[in-house]
Amino acid sequence: MQRNIPLFLVFILGIIYVLLTFIETSWSEGAVRLASSWAPLLSMWAIVPATYVTLASYGRRLTKRDRNPTTQKAILAGVTYVAFFTMLISGLKSNAEGSLFDWMFRNIQIPVTSTMFSLLTFYIASAAYRAFRVSRAHTSLLMVFAVLVMVTNTGMHTYIPFGQYWNEFSTWFLMTGNVAAKRAILIGVAVGMLATNIRIIFGIERSWMGGGA
Amino acid sequence: MNRSILINVLLVVVLPIVLLLIFPYTNQHAGDLFLGFFPVDKTVSFIALVLLISVIVKYAYEQKSHASEIREVIPRKFIREGIGRCAEMGRPCMFVPGTSSPSDVATIAGLAIGSVTIDEAIDLDVFIDSPQRDYMVMPITKSLLEERAMLKGRPDYPSTHSDVFLASTVQFTHAQLVAGRLERDRHGFAVFAGMFWAEMLIMLEAATMNGAMVLSGVDSVVQMPFAVAASDKALLGEELYAAGAQLSEEKRLVNSVVAQDLIKSLLFTALIVGALATTIQSFF
Amino acid sequence: MLTTTIAALLTLGAMSLVWKENIVSRFIEHLILGISLGYGVVLTYRQIFLRLFWVPVTTDFAANWILILPTLIGALWLAQPFQKVRWLSLIPLAMVLGAFSGLGLERIMSSYIIEALEGTVKSLYVAGDLQKSFDHVVIWLGVVCILSYFYFRRIHNPALEKAHEYTRIVGIWWLMASFGVSFGFTVMARAALLIYRIQFLTQDWIGELIKIASGGGM
């Protein structure tokens, strides 16, 4: 019975909003705007239980009540706690430029995040290396084409035999073969998305509410 | 019998042709309103949607199961093997349902795959590690885990055998935490399914480098090459959406995958007939 | 200079993760987890609660009082940790999911499927332009073959089944080739990012340190 209330809401709102996209009047546009202005307010509270769960999980480490407790884990969990509350308290006070919140964000968070982003190159290289070594038929073809593009893009193709043809081929393939692949994938993805959306609206797909029939 | 063939022919052959014929007309009248509220240029998508919805709902609520009619997108055995690997080696299993909010449908598809993984993990007592990025997806995953555990008669399972938590709402911080955990705990099996951006490769590669068996599912065209290169099995695009439904082994979900294919046969007709017709037309 | 040094040390520490998980990267991981969690909560409070709810309601109550309703419904999320009343937290989620699922349908249909079909269903023969005709045929063939790869149903007609088998094979190989091309291009773009980060270490940090050491001043 209790589970029927959310299912009913999804169904009713889903149907209403499908129909609204096919109605062009001032009130239908207002209703669509309503959805986008309500959505953040409806979802913002979720951060409270979510953050609570993380703090509880690290709290267990801090008090050594986790799976295999060590002192190091407890100390590190302490670091997380201190960082969180420093950030929270200073941020609630002020987030203006020059505040502690802003300083920590700029000088701790940003360097680390941008480093992780830049490390992507290493991970790509390692993925590429393994793809070559494992040499499953599919991934080999993928890597051959990847190298082809990299070679022609850096201008190195002038040093290898038939380099000019490689270059022309990869440019041509980018304009035709790649466009075809992208379109076909998008059509497939769209059918999948539509079907999943419809399954959600009609209560066929229930993994979002914990699954079960 | 004859009636059903007739309906199929009408649906798969005649309807796409009709839609192809009215499409140019409706496109010319973009901006016009029919009866003062219905935008004329949306006629084709309206008809197509009504059809799609009715086909999916009809198939889903049919008595008969169509499970044997579709080939396996990914065998359930694959997930069982991955979880079995964790159990043998005494290592945890990693599950990340994408890094986007639930309003991205891929997240829901990822959760559907996750629920199968969780089912298998509970059977073999495998620890589930799930750092999340979205604060709405995290509670969903947690309740999913709790509900599945309850159904299996293991209400204590989530508190003793899982760590589902919000890692960070920042893209690369989340990736760093996932990579760090993968390096430290050396997970036996890692499932990454849902909507990902560039951070996906960091997680996939960290998992593979540390000896995990990796299953990935992405619907973003940009990330697909990396998913293929860095995981043992990659579910690409529509496979991601179909896999969750098919793996669940629930009749209604499996049947709706068949309906999805019916829609695709309609698209094939449109592609083939449309191209041929315009080619012939170009000669005159 | 102190802040740059901290940033540089953090950069090095985070980079060490690639080599091997170590105590420094572990420390950074826990530090950043705390900071970004706090950041997330503060951002949600300021950007959503204050900006979208509190300020509009307190400045113009008559026009915005309705916003109290979604905020109250959203507060049902707080029931999430309690098993008995957990279903209440599904109500705001159901509202968001329902509205967005509904709104998405038409957009996906028109901007993905119909647009892609429109671009592909073209005359395969362009009078007097052999190159263009060939390109059109290639694109069309590619779309049909790759889409057939995503066709999961078994076909009962043996001839069609055989044809489907072949188009599927062409489709997956085609897909891999095109992934290779995108892979190559992305690698080129990502390499630039790493170079920027190394430039930060060498120029902004070590370069400055050397300047200071050689008496260049701050």
Side-chain angles (χ1 to χ4, degrees):
Chain A
M1 171 61 212
Q2 289 163 352
R3 296 170 72 83
N4 288 342
I5 295 172
L7 280 176
F8 177 73
L9 273 172
V10 162
F11 177 72
I12 288 294
L13 281 167
I15 295 293
I16 288 176
Y17 274 96
V18 179
L19 292 178
L20 278 177
T21 50
F22 291 103
I23 297 173
E24 249 174 51
T25 55
S26 56
W27 58 266
S28 72
E29 277 163 25
V32 172
R33 257 203 313 278
L34 194 75
S36 48
S37 71
W38 276 34
L41 296 177
L42 282 170
S43 40
M44 69 175 172
W45 288 103
I47 202 168
V48 177
T51 312
Y52 164 75
V53 166
T54 308
L55 289 177
S57 165
Y58 278 78
R60 276 196 296 277
R61 288 158 180 242
L62 190 67
T63 50
K64 292 194 178 179
R65 279 185 291 120
D66 62 327
R67 217 165 27 130
N68 23 19
T70 59
T71 313
Q72 192 196 55
K73 263 174 147 180
I75 295 172
L76 287 171
V79 171
T80 304
Y81 259 74
V82 172
F84 172 74
F85 283 106
T86 317
M87 205 62 181
L88 183 71
I89 294 164
S90 63
L92 291 182
K93 240 187 232 166
S94 151
N95 66 342
E97 217 169 298
S99 64
L100 183 62
F101 177 83
D102 182 61
W103 186 90
M104 280 171 74
F105 177 67
R106 261 174 219 284
N107 294 299
I108 300 178
Q109 171 131 10
I110 292 204
V112 175
T113 352
S114 45
T115 305
M116 279 320 279
F117 193 22
S118 73
L119 285 185
L120 263 177
T121 324
F122 281 121
Y123 286 105
I124 288 181
S126 131
Y129 173 66
R130 195 158 18 71
F132 258 125
R133 247 189 20 181
V134 174
S135 75
R136 278 175 297 178
H138 289 166
T139 43
S140 303
L141 181 73
L142 191 156
M143 291 325 296
V144 167
F145 270 76
V147 171
L148 191 76
V149 166
M150 283 186 267
V151 165
T152 53
N153 244 285
T154 43
M156 281 196 290
H157 61 277
T158 47
Y159 302 110
I160 46 175
F162 308 113
Q164 192 47 42
Y165 297 109
W166 283 37
N167 189 19
E168 272 173 25
F169 176 74
S170 73
T171 322
W172 172 80
F173 192 79
L174 188 71
M175 302 305 290
T176 54
N178 246 21
V179 170
K182 212 172 155 183
R183 267 191 206 147
I185 293 171
L186 278 183
I187 294 177
V189 167
V191 173
M193 277 162 86
L194 286 172
T196 310
N197 268 335
I198 293 169
R199 286 199 282 257
I200 294 172
I201 294 175
F202 286 88
I204 303 168
E205 167 72 74
R206 296 177 183 184
S207 59
W208 60 274
M209 45 187 287
Chain B
M1 185 60 200
N2 283 334
R3 210 170 121 247
S4 78
I5 292 178
L6 190 71
I7 291 174
N8 274 334
V9 169
L10 272 178
L11 207 72
V12 181
V13 181
V14 180
L15 194 82
I17 298 176
V18 172
L19 289 182
L20 276 173
L21 287 174
I22 58 172
F23 183 69
Y25 171 80
T26 56
N27 236 11
Q28 276 166 17
H29 291 58
D32 289 5
L33 294 179
F34 176 68
L35 294 178
F37 71 87
F38 186 81
V40 176
D41 56 329
K42 287 185 182 172
T43 315
V44 171
S45 59
F46 182 73
I47 298 173
L49 264 183
V50 170
L51 178 81
L52 185 64
I53 293 178
S54 37
V55 168
I56 289 184
V57 173
K58 175 187 172 284
Y59 267 83
Y61 287 95
E62 233 170 50
Q63 286 296 318
K64 187 177 135 204
S65 164
H66 292 271
S68 60
E69 281 177 39
I70 34 178
R71 70 182 164 84
E72 273 179 332
V73 180
I74 173 182
R76 196 171 168 126
K77 213 173 69 199
F78 183 88
I79 293 181
R80 206 168 287 154
E81 216 175 282
I83 296 290
R85 203 162 168 266
C86 295
E88 256 171 45
M89 297 156 89
R91 289 180 184 175
C93 157
M94 172 73 82
F95 166 59
V96 180
T99 49
S100 183
S101 67
S103 41
D104 246 319
V105 221
T107 311
I108 306 290
L111 283 169
I113 293 177
S115 89
V116 179
T117 314
I118 288 172
D119 272 355
E120 296 286 342
I122 295 176
D123 284 344
L124 291 182
D125 262 350
V126 169
F127 190 90
I128 298 162
D129 207 0
S130 183
Q132 311 261 337
R133 182 176 162 209
D134 188 87
Y135 53 74
M136 278 206 278
V137 181
M138 191 248 107
I140 300 176
T141 316
K142 202 166 169 62
S143 11
L144 184 65
L145 178 65
E146 279 167 14
E147 295 275 336
R148 300 319 285 183
M150 200 69 103
L151 277 178
K152 298 233 171 205
R154 301 281 306 273
D156 60 318
Y157 194 86
S159 56
T160 54
H161 282 78
S162 81
D163 197 0
V164 184
F165 66 104
L166 178 72
S168 160
T169 51
V170 184
Q171 187 184 10
F172 283 99
T173 314
H174 169 258
Q176 187 198 19
L177 186 127
V178 174
R181 283 198 164 211
L182 283 166
E183 295 230 358
R184 216 164 29 240
D185 300 337
R186 304 192 149 257
H187 298 64
F189 184 43
V191 180
F192 300 97
M195 173 79 206
F196 288 97
W197 286 272
E199 76 284 358
M200 184 195 70
L201 183 67
I202 296 181
M203 305 193 240
L204 285 184
E205 198 41 41
T208 315
M209 278 196 300
N210 290 292
M213 193 170 144
V214 182
L215 167 65
S216 64
V218 271
D219 78 334
S220 142
V221 183
V222 190
Q223 300 308 328
M224 282 180 197
F226 305 113
V228 172
S231 47
D232 295 293
K233 171 81 188 158
L235 298 168
L236 306 170
E238 204 192 341
E239 287 180 318
L240 166 68
Y241 295 100
Q246 199 185 23
L247 282 172
S248 73
E249 288 168 3
E250 245 176 71
K251 195 193 81 202
R252 278 193 269 173
L253 283 169
V254 178
N255 281 359
S256 71
V257 178
V258 179
Q260 242 165 284
D261 274 357
L262 196 73
I263 303 302
K264 260 175 289 173
S265 25
L266 217 137
L267 289 172
F268 279 123
T269 314
L271 270 172
I272 294 167
V273 174
L276 288 181
T278 41
T279 310
I280 293 168
Q281 203 181 23
S282 73
F283 282 109
F284 297 106
Chain C
M1 195 59 221
L2 178 70
T3 46
T4 318
T5 306
I6 291 174
L9 290 177
L10 287 169
T11 302
L12 284 175
M15 273 187 178
S16 70
L17 180 65
V18 175
W19 169 244
K20 198 174 185 302
E21 207 270 343
N22 55 55
I23 183 71
V24 180
S25 73
R26 204 173 294 180
F27 171 77
I28 293 177
E29 180 192 312
H30 284 80
L31 176 73
I32 287 294
L33 168 67
I35 289 184
S36 65
L37 261 189
Y39 176 74
V41 175
V42 171
L43 212 68
T44 310
Y45 169 72
R46 288 193 182 273
Q47 296 288 332
I48 301 178
F49 182 80
L50 282 189
R51 196 170 64 90
L52 297 179
F53 170 70
W54 191 251
V55 173
V57 168
T58 46
T59 46
D60 187 358
F61 185 79
N64 296 313
W65 63 270
I66 191 79
L67 292 178
I68 294 173
L69 194 63
T71 310
L72 284 181
I73 299 174
L76 290 175
W77 271 110
L78 301 178
Q80 212 279 332
F82 311 103
Q83 187 98 46
K84 280 220 172 98
V85 283
R86 166 156 319 133
W87 65 277
L88 282 172
S89 73
L90 290 174
I91 290 173
L93 178 65
M95 289 174 78
V96 174
L97 267 186
F100 280 101
S101 300
L103 280 174
L105 291 182
E106 197 276 330
R107 188 179 46 82
I108 298 167
M109 183 60 94
S110 58
S111 67
Y112 284 55
I113 297 185
I114 292 180
E115 230 177 81
L117 281 184
E118 210 183 342
T120 316
V121 178
K122 275 185 192 156
S123 171
L124 299 177
Y125 173 76
V126 183
D129 194 342
L130 217 60
Q131 173 74 43
K132 217 169 188 178
S133 313
F134 182 64
D135 289 357
H136 280 188
V137 173
V138 168
I139 293 182
W140 180 79
L141 212 63
V143 171
V144 172
C145 287
I146 298 173
L147 200 59
S148 82
Y149 172 75
F150 291 115
Y151 192 83
F152 307 115
R153 205 168 165 187
R154 294 209 175 89
I155 305 167
H156 293 302
N157 183 330
L160 269 179
E161 173 83 61
K162 199 84 195 151
H164 182 219
E165 227 166 77
Y166 287 125
T167 52
R168 259 176 63 85
I169 294 170
V170 175
I172 185 71
W173 285 101
W174 194 309
L175 214 53
M176 289 303 143
S178 104
F179 285 167
V181 173
S182 337
F183 194 102
F185 274 103
T186 321
V187 170
M188 307 299 288
R190 293 285 185 261
L193 282 169
L194 186 67
I195 294 168
Y196 286 136
R197 216 53 214 161
I198 292 170
Q199 264 177 3
F200 163 75
L201 282 180
T202 53
Q203 291 173 6
D204 294 12
W205 184 48
I206 298 178
E208 285 296 308
L209 278 180
I210 292 172
K211 258 192 216 161
I212 296 168
S214 59
M218 299 291 269

